[in-house]
Amino acid sequence: MSTGKHDISGWLVRRSPWPLWWGLATVLGATVAHVARTTLDGGMDNAIVVRAARAWLAGRSPYDDPHFLYLPGAVLAAVPQALLPQAVLRVLVPLAVAVCLTAGWACALRLHRVPWDSRLAVLGLTGLSAGFAPFGHLVRLGNWTVTAVLALPVALLLVSRGRWVAAGAVLGAALALKPLLAPLALLFVFARRWRALALLAGVPALVSAASALFLPDPAGFLTRTLPFLLHGQDAFVRLYEASPAAVLPRLGVPQPVARTLALAACAAGVACAHRRWRRADPGPLRLAETAAGLMLSAFLVSRPSYDHYLLVVVPLLLAGLPHPGSVARGPWFWLALVPQIPGLTWPYLESVRRRAFKDAVTLCTLVFAVSCQPVRGRRSPAAVTPTLGEKGSGPRRRASSF
């Protein structure tokens, strides 16, 4: 990572003045307080999981609700919430989501060797919380996607330190709650880390099997939820899906054609991610960009594929901004974020039910931005200089590379 005075990296990684931290605290506090005031149950999506846990406590199957799309382990994990009063949940849930998003951002910074007290640390999280609509959506919904937002940078940070087995355990635990990070199994295949891969797959399998034994309908996920997902869910949910397979039919494209195009784009994205992995240049960008490529490719075909799924990869890519040649240094990354600016009204897309069109543009543009990385040629190793601050401006620390 270059930290010279005449490069943007040098300014980004230097210590941030304290007023910026007050601004960040104000933005996050206002977001949590607004959700706590306007929701009664901590968020619509979290409430679905809590209702499933309460149904189980009452002796009913949690899969009686077709919108409960989680593995059996999530039912037991939601039991503590089911025992809390609504007044506590409406504050605790958005606060917990905001804390997890902040922790995920901190781990993404650490992966890229960016100091936690840097300008990028405070400005990046402020920009995500105030200028990236999916951030607010995730806090408002209380969706358990936040577990993946935290688990992915934690796992990649462990991988960057050579702890593949521990990374597999972290991803496995996240998959046991919500199988959103399943595409990361390909990263372990690329690296031929079979023990870690076995743990990644074994943890959610064992947790799900053990948890299912306590449910009145042990096979409910396989007999009810899985067919519901494979058939594209219901008409209401499809309005909010951002994958081309869901959006293109709304524009008049036949469903088989839309699926074929989405699958082809997904296959191309996975191929680009593999090529990026094989280009083993030094630094943490290899891990971050390969993982982002795999996840974004999966979002092209996954059902569902919502706007808040973008938070799994955007902070990971944004944290790499100080590194020359990173995805965040390219124009396509920033163009992809334009449709997600809060308060920006687009003609013919004013209705919330048409938000998926904007989300699809962001998703496809991010896929393009990340997929272009492997074909840009090998970058020279990034220069590393020992100082992160200007002369006389503060402590001097060392930057390291993966």
Side-chain angles (χ1 to χ4, degrees):
M1 177 172 60
S2 175
T3 58
K5 293 182 181 180
H6 304 294
D7 188 270
I8 188 176
S9 314
W11 187 86
L12 287 173
V13 300
R14 294 187 190 115
R15 179 174 295 172
S16 172
W18 65 265
L20 294 181
W21 290 102
W22 282 109
L24 172 60
T26 301
V27 171
L28 291 176
T31 301
V32 172
H34 173 71
V35 174
R37 288 184 65 249
T38 56
T39 63
L40 298 176
D41 47 16
M44 180 177 66
D45 290 357
N46 182 73
I48 292 174
V49 189
V50 174
R51 284 199 302 269
R54 287 174 177 160
W56 175 70
L57 290 174
R60 304 190 307 273
S61 172
Y63 294 102
D64 288 341
D65 183 355
H67 292 140
F68 177 68
L69 307 177
Y70 296 81
L71 292 171
V75 178
L76 302 185
V79 167
Q81 287 193 61
L83 302 177
L84 294 175
Q86 296 286 78
V88 175
L89 286 180
R90 66 188 302 175
V91 176
L92 181 62
V93 173
L95 179 61
V97 172
V99 168
C100 288
L101 289 171
T102 301
W105 172 246
C107 291
L109 291 171
R110 194 67 191 127
L111 171 67
H112 290 285
R113 310 302 190 255
V114 177
W116 286 334
D117 61 351
S118 64
R119 289 186 175 98
L120 179 59
V122 60
L123 292 177
L125 187 55
T126 303
L128 287 171
S129 56
F132 189 57
F135 189 103
H137 296 163
L138 185 57
V139 177
R140 184 167 65 251
L141 293 171
N143 193 283
W144 285 27
T145 295
V146 71
T147 59
V149 177
L150 175 59
L152 178 56
V154 170
L156 295 182
L157 182 59
L158 290 170
V159 167
S160 71
R161 298 175 177 179
R163 301 176 62 184
W164 284 87
V165 173
V170 169
L171 292 176
L175 289 172
L177 297 177
K178 185 169 184 175
L180 185 62
L181 295 179
L184 264 295
L186 288 176
L187 177 64
F188 291 76
V189 174
F190 293 168
R192 299 182 181 182
R193 299 287 179 163
W194 309 119
R195 288 180 57 195
L197 178 61
L199 195 59
L200 182 151
V203 168
L206 290 175
V207 171
S208 297
S211 300
L213 296 177
F214 294 94
L215 304 183
D217 184 12
F221 181 83
L222 299 177
T223 60
R224 300 188 187 186
T225 302
L226 201 55
F228 183 73
L229 290 172
L230 294 177
H231 288 86
Q233 305 187 61
D234 54 33
F236 174 77
V237 174
R238 282 197 294 270
L239 292 174
Y240 300 95
E241 291 191 71
S243 67
V247 170
L248 290 178
R250 296 176 64 182
L251 298 174
V253 179
Q255 185 70 53
V257 176
R259 290 177 180 173
T260 301
L261 292 174
L263 285 171
C266 175
V270 171
C272 289
H274 182 240
R275 184 172 179 180
R276 179 65 184 91
W277 175 258
R278 292 185 63 185
R279 200 186 80 203
D281 47 324
L285 292 180
R286 180 194 185 198
L287 276 174
E289 292 172 359
T290 302
L294 291 173
M295 293 305 305
L296 289 169
S297 298
F299 294 159
L300 291 173
V301 295
S302 65
R303 307 293 299 272
S305 183
Y306 300 131
D307 67 325
H308 50 77
Y309 287 9
L310 298 172
L311 277 169
V312 176
V313 296
V314 169
L316 192 64
L317 297 173
L318 180 61
L321 184 61
H323 295 271
S326 65
V327 171
R329 290 286 188 99
W332 290 108
F333 174 80
W334 297 101
L335 288 174
L337 305 185
V338 171
Q340 303 301 329
I341 298 176
L344 182 59
T345 303
W346 296 84
Y348 307 105
L349 300 179
E350 296 88 352
S351 171
V352 67
R353 294 189 175 187
R354 294 186 176 182
R355 190 182 70 205
F357 294 107
K358 298 188 295 183
D359 302 336
V361 170
T362 296
L363 172 60
C364 293
T365 308
L366 280 175
V367 170
F368 177 78
V370 175
S371 299
C372 283
Q373 285 298 92
V375 299
R376 288 177 182 171
R378 183 182 297 273
R379 289 189 294 265
S380 59
V384 180
T385 56
T387 179
L388 292 178
E390 294 185 25
K391 185 176 181 180
S393 62
R396 297 164 68 91
R397 287 164 285 180
R398 291 200 170 265
S400 58
S401 61
F402 165 57

